[in-house]
Amino acid sequence: MSDPVVASRRGRLAVLTLNRPDERNPLDSEMSAALLAAMAEAMADDGVRAVAIAAEGPAFCAGGDLRQMKLLAQQPAEQAYAWPEDIVALHKAALAAPKPMIALVDGPAYAGGMGLAGMCDVLLATDRARFAMPEVRMGLFPMIIVAHLARALPRKLLLDLMLTGRPMDAAEAHHAGFVNRVCAGPEELWAAADEYAGWFAQTSPDAVRLGRRAFTLLADLPANQALDAAQFLNLAFFLGSDLAEGASAFLEKRPPSWVEPA
């Protein structure tokens, strides 16, 4: 059997491709464990400045494997509880990621697949993309992906999708701010990914790494507390080496020479 996730490179963009097209790339225990390991490797690679999640075949990801989930009721509670462990770990890894993440969706992204796309910082989609959470039609609720999607979609729209299970096309998702850019087809989709990768490659690695963590913290704080915390968090940038280099490069009209994190 082929590897569930295939890692490749496009310059400084690491591409992690879901590789079970005949099964619509289900986010089962094997796929989630493989994706978690590939993400960790890409994030640790100093040559990588951004990480993309893509998929082989006509579907991005159909979500959890219903054949496995159907058997959970026959297992001890401890095993059923542990079944989505790697999926939870994936979402936690995305929250703490030191590098930007891009989702490339060219087909249906359903249930956990919608969560997988939604946990990325930038979501690029073709007009063939569809997003849905049909769990309520199968006796389930999309529990784990609430954590990321509640931060990526308006509350009323999210509840609409979760409580009906209806699909949302790429145009509606773009209008809601869930999708950053709708592309005419795969060629335009990859061109957009390369464009974002080029922008990310020009940024300060420390500013992105620390800023991404700070954003996650500040976004969940009340506004007054966020402002106080931001003043303290600024010290990491003010006293770091990247600001001095970035300011000098700007004033001297030259590209900055960033020091990659150790």
Side-chain angles (χ1 to χ4, degrees), residues 27 39 49 75 80 108 134 140 146 150 159 169-170 173 183 225 228 231:
L27 194 61
M39 269 180 59
R49 295 298 307 277
Q75 299 178 3
L140 191 62
V146 170
L159 281 170
D169 64 19
C183 304
Q225 292 180 22
D228 288 339
Q231 187 170 357

Side-chain angles (χ1 to χ4, degrees), residues 88-247:
V88 171
L90 264 177
H91 281 266
K92 288 184 176 181
L95 281 176
K99 298 169 185 177
M101 297 182 64
I102 306 171
L104 283 79
V105 180
D106 182 27
Y110 284 3
M114 181 171 174
L116 191 62
M119 77 183 193
C120 295
D121 304 296
V122 174
L123 203 172
L124 306 174
T126 67
D127 46 19
R128 296 194 320 119
R130 296 291 182 274
F131 304 92
M133 292 166 284
E135 286 92 336
V136 289
R137 300 183 181 187
M138 303 168 198
L140 191 62
F141 193 78
M143 300 293 291
I144 292 168
I145 61 178
V146 170
H148 264 108
L149 296 188
R151 293 160 172 79
L153 279 165
R155 181 187 179 93
K156 291 288 188 181
L157 177 57
L158 180 58
L159 281 170
D160 168 345
L161 296 169
M162 287 182 161
L163 296 177
T164 64
R166 72 170 180 87
M168 174 173 64
D169 64 19
E172 183 181 1
H174 182 254
H175 180 73
F178 186 62
V179 167
N180 294 80
R181 189 184 301 183
V182 179
C183 304
E187 186 175 342
E188 189 176 315
L189 185 73
W190 284 103
D194 290 336
E195 185 177 14
Y196 270 96
W199 288 332
F200 289 139
Q202 296 174 34
T203 61
S204 153
D206 267 352
V208 169
R209 178 177 60 86
L210 296 173
R212 203 176 180 281
R213 290 175 63 186
F215 178 85
T216 301
L217 173 65
L218 297 175
D220 289 336
L221 288 176
N224 196 58
Q225 292 180 22
L227 287 166
D228 288 339
Q231 187 170 357
F232 284 102
L233 292 171
N234 256 336
L235 288 174
F237 302 95
F238 293 164
L239 303 181
S241 58
D242 274 9
L243 176 57
E245 169 59 19

Side-chain angles (χ1 to χ4, degrees), residues 2-26:
S2 59
D3 293 334
V5 175
V6 175
S8 60
R9 288 279 291 274
R10 292 173 71 92
R12 305 200 73 178
L13 177 68
V15 180
L16 311 180
T17 303
L18 310 184
N19 192 39
R20 291 282 165 80
D22 294 341
E23 304 167 61
R24 299 172 67 82
N25 298 313

Side-chain angles (χ1 to χ4, degrees), residues 44-60:
D45 187 339
D46 289 344
V48 169
R49 295 298 307 277
V51 177
I53 300 178
E56 281 290 340
F60 177 75

